[in-house]
Amino acid sequence: MYSEAISAAVCGVESRMILVEADVANGLPGFSMVGFLSSEVREAQDRVRTAIHNSGIRLEAKKVTVNLAPGDVRKSGSGFDLPIAVAVLAAYGVIPREALRETLFAGELGLDGRINKIRGILGMVMEARKAGCKTCILPEENAAEGAMIEGVKICGAKSLKEVLDHLTGSSKLKQTVSNIEEKFQKEEEKDKIDFADIRGQRLVKRAIEIAAAGMHNILISGPPGCGKSMMAKRIPTILPPLSREEALEVSKIYSVAGLLPEEGLLTKRPFRMPHHTISGAAMAGGGFVPGPGEISFAHRGVLYLDELPEYQTEVLEVLRQPMEDGQVILSRGGGTYVFPCEFMLAASRNPCKCGYYPDRTRCRCTEGEVERYLHRISRPLLDRIDLHVEAEPVKYEELTGERKEETSEIIRERVLLARQRQEERYRGTGLRFNRDLTPAHLEEYCSLGEGEARLMAEIYRKKELTARAFHRLLKVSRTIADLEGSREIESHHISEAVLYRPIKQLM
């Protein structure tokens, strides 16, 4: 007797619908599985048989064949246990085959029949809704996560016995309801950190505000103890809140990695701060079955690299292509995987190994050592960083004075207004921020008057800019104009943008 159940396979951060087919026939007793399966999926046959037995169901010894289609998609993970179990039981006639229609099943079975939590539920439910499924039966621990997707009935189950009772009609699983709107309508908790905590450093704060307004990448240089890390950690406090669509997009990445909180949704922009000992695979993503890396975990948020020259060269070079394209493409024998990574890069560095150059009363580094230290960051990577700013040691008067610093809330209001102007300007174009402008768009959205064009020509020659650096200077000028509410880029916008280019292009 033949039966089938619906499930889903995680492929990168997306999911693919999988049809679990089961056939029970007379012949030599056995349990065989086919369909481009990983080792953990092949192990499902032992977990399924034992879980069925320990759930109080005795099955006649027959030849059981299970196929997971389509055969060209590699199936990995333990989430196929539950759909295999219900498909086999339907083939045996224990449950009606009609009860499996338009229902997605996912979950790992314990030997005692309990259903354990799995990864990637958010993407599975999204794909199930797209495929027309009306119900999803999931592990109880994943139910809140699945309920974030509207338009599908989500039922959480603790054990295989509960699922069987639900499918046979003897008792029904309770529907899990989670109102996603409530999570965004709740009054936002005040951040424990605030830009008002930072004394002085007005130039750096201004550069961070510009970076946040246009989603530009920023590099902060300065001696130890001047507040570089403190300011970087406060960048999320001036960014707009995640929209509903962005929250689901980011949460799907964390769901695949098993890092989603119990609430089932991330409502704050990510801030990732990986240690400088991180490997290239951990940064970009990878593995035998590729998973997301730090740059994908920072999607729609901030990736902060403290002491940038301390990172391995190959790790830093991994960033170049994702910073341009907003995605990482990994090819493996099992297929090609795409991971989104539209992040804002914030980085900091000391001016030399000891951190005190050019103060020769404290710095003992030779000129050659300083040059080698700064040259650990390649020119192509530096060209992809829009704003370069120097943090000065904080003066005693600034540190102890009574001057009130601007709060994150005040800065955030200006950032929001600048982003609204960008949204209106780029509506219908596929662009989101000024940093997304391509050379083809610059003539339309960053046009210059006669005086401004002469100024840019002079800057290009004197600064010895590359074409990429020239385009990025225009984009930063456009963001400064947006913060000021100006429709056109004026000379003083360009003059300020020049302040945020490195004094020496090779630094």
Side-chain angles (χ1 to χ4, degrees):
M1 190 172 172
Y2 170 86
S3 70
E4 56 187 42
I6 302 171
S7 189
V10 175
C11 302
V13 295
E14 304 298 331
S15 295
R16 288 279 302 273
M17 299 304 297
I18 300 297
L19 184 64
V20 180
E21 301 174 302
D23 182 75
V24 176
N26 295 323
L28 188 65
F31 197 120
S32 62
M33 295 177 58
V34 295
F36 200 7
L37 313 177
S38 65
S39 58
E40 61 265 30
V41 179
R42 291 189 180 280
E43 293 168 355
Q45 57 183 296
D46 295 319
R47 291 193 296 269
V48 167
R49 284 188 298 191
T50 306
I52 290 175
H53 177 80
N54 289 331
S55 297
I57 301 170
R58 300 295 180 266
L59 299 177
E60 184 180 352
K62 290 191 175 185
K63 181 181 179 180
V64 178
T65 304
V66 175
N67 176 45
L68 276 63
D72 61 343
V73 176
R74 183 176 176 80
K75 292 83 180 178
S76 60
S78 54
F80 294 104
D81 292 5
L82 181 58
I84 291 172
V86 296
V88 169
L89 291 172
Y92 268 101
V94 176
I95 55 179
R97 288 181 291 177
E98 295 76 14
L100 307 185
R101 292 176 181 171
E102 298 181 333
T103 301
L104 179 136
F105 298 87
E108 176 187 335
L109 291 177
L111 298 183
D112 58 354
R114 69 180 181 279
I115 303 177
N116 299 320
K117 182 180 180 180
I118 62 171
R119 301 178 179 185
I121 285 294
L122 206 57
M124 292 182 186
V125 177
M126 288 181 180
E127 193 64 24
R129 181 181 64 179
K130 190 186 302 183
C133 292
K134 297 180 179 178
T135 305
C136 293
I137 297 181
L138 312 171
E140 188 177 53
E141 293 179 84
N142 290 120
E145 177 184 343
M148 292 297 116
I149 309 301
E150 297 179 340
V152 183
K153 180 181 178 182
I154 304 297
C155 297
K158 295 180 181 178
S159 67
L160 178 60
K161 185 67 167 61
E162 288 186 0
V163 175
L164 297 181
D165 290 342
H166 172 82
L167 295 175
T168 55
S170 56
S171 66
K172 288 296 181 182
L173 292 171
K174 185 178 179 181
Q175 181 179 356
T176 302
V177 179
S178 180
N179 190 347
I180 189 173
E181 297 295 341
E182 291 181 0
K183 294 184 179 293
F184 290 95
Q185 290 174 356
K186 286 180 181 178
E187 184 179 354
E188 293 184 8
E189 297 181 5
K190 287 190 175 181
D191 291 295
K192 296 179 181 179
I193 57 176
D194 196 286
F195 266 104
D197 304 331
I198 308 294
R199 295 300 183 97
Q201 303 295 5
R202 285 187 286 277
L203 181 63
V204 182
K205 290 180 183 177
R206 171 63 174 172
I208 289 175
E209 179 182 338
I210 296 169
M215 276 298 280
H216 301 289
N217 303 316
I218 183 170
L219 173 62
I220 307 171
S221 302
C226 64
K228 301 187 296 294
S229 297
M230 286 184 65
M231 288 183 281
K233 291 177 181 178
R234 283 158 176 75
I235 293 175
T237 66
I238 64 173
L239 294 175
L242 282 173
S243 67
R244 175 176 170 177
E245 292 74 20
E246 288 177 328
L248 289 173
E249 192 177 344
V250 174
S251 297
K252 187 163 67 170
I253 299 172
Y254 281 74
S255 174
V256 168
L259 300 177
L260 208 56
E262 292 183 2
E263 296 80 11
L265 192 71
L266 287 173
T267 56
K268 289 190 175 182
R269 291 194 180 275
F271 180 85
R272 304 295 296 188
M273 187 178 172
H275 193 260
H276 67 262
T277 56
I278 189 173
S279 67
M283 181 69 81
F288 182 72
V289 179
E294 285 294 331
I295 58 177
S296 292
F297 291 136
H299 183 59
R300 303 296 185 203
V302 179
L303 176 68
Y304 176 52
L305 304 183
D306 193 16
E307 300 303 338
L308 190 64
E310 298 296 336
Y311 288 79
Q312 297 178 33
T313 302
E314 56 267 26
V315 174
L316 295 180
E317 296 307 300
V318 157
L319 297 172
R320 286 164 52 180
Q321 179 263 334
M323 287 168 66
E324 292 287 334
D325 300 339
Q327 62 181 15
V328 178
I329 302 175
L330 301 176
S331 296
R332 297 291 185 271
T336 299
Y337 303 82
V338 180
F339 297 94
C341 57
E342 294 184 21
F343 60 89
M344 171 184 167
L345 175 66
S348 62
R349 69 176 180 184
N350 291 331
C352 66
K353 186 70 175 178
C354 73
Y356 295 107
Y357 182 83
D359 184 357
R360 283 309 187 181
T361 62
R362 307 174 72 181
C363 177
R364 295 295 180 264
C365 301
T366 66
E367 292 294 336
E369 288 173 336
V370 173
E371 187 174 348
R372 283 193 297 273
Y373 180 77
L374 296 178
H375 276 71
R376 292 182 183 180
I377 310 171
S378 69
R379 173 72 175 270
L381 180 61
L382 285 175
D383 266 355
R384 286 171 168 82
I385 299 177
D386 304 338
L387 295 101
H388 300 245
V389 64
E390 298 284 336
E392 301 291 338
V394 182
K395 297 178 181 178
Y396 177 80
E397 293 77 13
E398 291 177 324
L399 194 61
T400 59
E402 296 181 358
R403 183 181 184 275
K404 295 293 184 182
E405 301 290 343
E406 280 190 319
T407 64
S408 293
E409 185 177 357
I410 293 174
I411 301 172
R412 189 186 203 182
E413 289 176 0
R414 294 198 295 266
V415 170
L416 284 171
L417 286 174
R419 289 207 174 186
Q420 287 172 7
R421 294 181 182 109
Q422 293 171 65
E423 183 181 353
E424 292 171 4
R425 183 189 308 125
Y426 304 135
R427 185 173 288 118
T429 65
L431 302 171
R432 290 169 56 89
F433 310 108
N434 290 330
R435 74 128 183 233
D436 298 330
L437 290 170
T438 65
H441 293 112
L442 290 175
E443 186 175 350
E444 178 180 358
Y445 297 112
C446 298
S447 58
L448 301 176
E450 186 177 341
E452 288 75 18
R454 284 198 302 269
L455 177 60
M456 283 298 296
E458 183 180 357
I459 292 169
Y460 185 84
R461 288 191 295 268
K462 287 187 176 181
K463 282 282 189 177
E464 298 179 359
L465 300 180
T466 63
R468 182 187 289 116
F470 171 73
H471 292 154
R472 291 186 180 276
L473 184 61
L474 275 177
K475 296 175 190 179
V476 173
S477 301
R478 177 68 268 173
T479 300
I480 295 172
D482 287 337
L483 283 167
E484 194 178 277
S486 173
R487 294 180 62 87
E488 304 295 335
I489 297 175
E490 300 177 7
S491 295
H492 66 279
H493 301 144
I494 299 172
S495 298
E496 182 179 358
V498 173
L499 293 175
Y500 309 119
R501 293 304 306 170
I503 296 175
K504 294 180 181 179
Q505 281 296 310
L506 291 179
M507 285 182 59

